[in-house]
Amino acid sequence: MKPDRTGSSLWSWLRPEERIFKGLLLTLLLGGCWSPGAHSLEVSVGKVTSVEALNGSDVLLPCTFSSCIGYEDLLFRWSYKRNSTLELMFEATIKGPEYEPRILFSDYRVQFAGTSKSNNISIILFNVDFDDSGQYICYAKNPKEKNRVHRATYTLLVVSEMKVVDKTLTTIIVSVVGGLIGFLVVFLLGKKLILFAIAKSRERKECLVSSSGIDNTENGPTGSKGNTKQTSKA
């Protein structure tokens, strides 16, 4: 007699392996963006988080964002951290992925250098000087995440001259490797030419031996007289 499942939980009637499978599937479906504490919006300045720039040059401050649940009316800012305070440099909003940013504020030395099509919110800082050395914060807030704030930091060091990298060791290594490769190529070519010359010499010797044997056969054994025709009698 089959047990009555009326009013009972369907989960309780599943086999253990079915429970495990459905549990994993449910975890995957509810994981990622929807898991508690997960950051659906991420802000990044890239793998290299610092740069050196010459005094008086222009510098790109990179920043991108990603969102697995999408975004709407995204607010982003660039700020410079001077001592313990943040000085606003740039501020804009993006209505959605198909819209370009609407600039709310921009310092006179700052220009937007990104595009919402690739979630790029980078800026260019013109004519940097030594006072511009420090930390720059890229900040973003997505209303779809209940205005949760996300940020990333990029460090700029302004110098009077760029450091000269000593390439002596690199040059030596490249020269040695190049010399070894060149020697190997010459050795292989020389070996091939020698083998070719040896093969040709053997062919020439075999040809001479063969030709000598043919001549001796036609002329008969050494020391024998050739057949003479008998003089016919009249």
Side-chain angles (χ1 to χ4, degrees), residues 24-25 35 39 42 53 73 101-102 116 129 156 192 200 209 220:
L24 290 174
L25 182 61
S35 60
H39 291 193
E42 293 184 356
D73 294 325
R102 182 170 69 92
S116 59
D129 57 30
L156 171 65
K192 183 170 288 189
K200 284 295 183 181
V209 171

Side-chain angles (χ1 to χ4, degrees), residues 141-156:
K141 181 172 66 174
N142 185 12
K144 293 187 71 172
E145 297 182 59
K146 298 181 180 180
N147 292 321
R148 180 179 294 171
V149 175
H150 305 272
R151 58 173 57 89
T153 302
Y154 195 74
T155 303
L156 171 65

Side-chain angles (χ1 to χ4, degrees), residues 63-128:
C63 187
T64 58
F65 69 91
S66 61
S67 175
C68 55
I69 65 171
Y71 64 92
E72 188 176 77
D73 294 325
L74 179 81
L75 172 68
F76 71 93
R77 295 172 182 161
W78 272 97
S79 300
Y80 172 60
K81 189 175 183 180
R82 189 182 298 277
N83 298 324
S84 58
T85 60
L86 293 178
E87 296 181 1
L88 182 63
M89 299 171 56
F90 188 87
E91 183 178 57
T93 60
I94 305 176
K95 188 175 182 180
E98 67 276 14
Y99 296 91
E100 286 301 317
R102 182 170 69 92
I103 299 175
L104 304 178
F105 172 80
S106 178
D107 186 272
Y108 73 96
R109 290 194 299 143
V110 173
Q111 178 180 315
F112 181 67
T115 173
S116 59
K117 293 180 181 179
S118 58
N119 296 345
N120 189 335
I121 50 177
S122 305
I123 60 172
I124 296 176
L125 180 60
F126 294 101
N127 192 27
V128 296

Side-chain angles (χ1 to χ4, degrees), residues 10-207:
L10 178 61
W11 183 267
S12 62
W13 292 104
L14 293 175
R15 291 179 297 178
E17 58 271 20
E18 291 179 338
R19 293 183 186 180
I20 294 173
F21 174 76
K22 291 185 180 295
L24 290 174
L25 182 61
L26 185 63
T27 300
L28 290 174
L29 290 175
L30 296 180
C33 294
W34 304 104
S35 60
H39 291 193
S40 51
L41 180 71
E42 293 184 356
V43 176
S44 173
V45 293
K47 294 181 179 180
V48 180
T49 59
S50 64
V51 66
E52 287 188 357
L54 281 173
N55 182 33
S57 63
D58 304 330
V59 179
L60 174 69
L61 302 178
C63 187
T64 58
F65 69 91
S66 61
S67 175
C68 55
I69 65 171
Y71 64 92
E72 188 176 77
D73 294 325
L74 179 81
L75 172 68
F76 71 93
R77 295 172 182 161
W78 272 97
S79 300
Y80 172 60
K81 189 175 183 180
R82 189 182 298 277
N83 298 324
S84 58
T85 60
L86 293 178
E87 296 181 1
L88 182 63
M89 299 171 56
F90 188 87
E91 183 178 57
T93 60
I94 305 176
K95 188 175 182 180
E98 67 276 14
Y99 296 91
E100 286 301 317
R102 182 170 69 92
I103 299 175
L104 304 178
F105 172 80
S106 178
D107 186 272
Y108 73 96
R109 290 194 299 143
V110 173
Q111 178 180 315
F112 181 67
T115 173
S116 59
K117 293 180 181 179
S118 58
N119 296 345
N120 189 335
I121 50 177
S122 305
I123 60 172
I124 296 176
L125 180 60
F126 294 101
N127 192 27
V128 296
D129 57 30
F130 299 109
D131 290 336
D132 293 319
S133 295
Q135 293 183 333
Y136 292 80
I137 291 86
C138 179
Y139 158 108
K141 181 172 66 174
N142 185 12
K144 293 187 71 172
E145 297 182 59
K146 298 181 180 180
N147 292 321
R148 180 179 294 171
V149 175
H150 305 272
R151 58 173 57 89
T153 302
Y154 195 74
T155 303
L156 171 65
L157 177 61
V158 180
V159 297
S160 58
E161 60 180 3
M162 303 299 289
K163 294 179 180 178
V164 179
V165 180
D166 187 3
K167 298 182 179 180
T168 305
L169 181 59
T170 304
T171 304
I172 293 174
I173 293 174
V174 171
S175 300
V176 172
V177 173
L180 290 175
I181 293 175
F183 173 77
L184 182 61
V185 170
V186 172
F187 174 76
L188 292 175
L189 288 176
K191 181 179 179 182
K192 183 170 288 189
L193 289 174
I194 292 172
L195 292 176
F196 178 77
I198 292 174
K200 284 295 183 181
S201 177
R202 288 178 179 175
E203 289 179 1
R204 195 174 294 118
K205 288 181 179 179
E206 291 176 356
C207 182

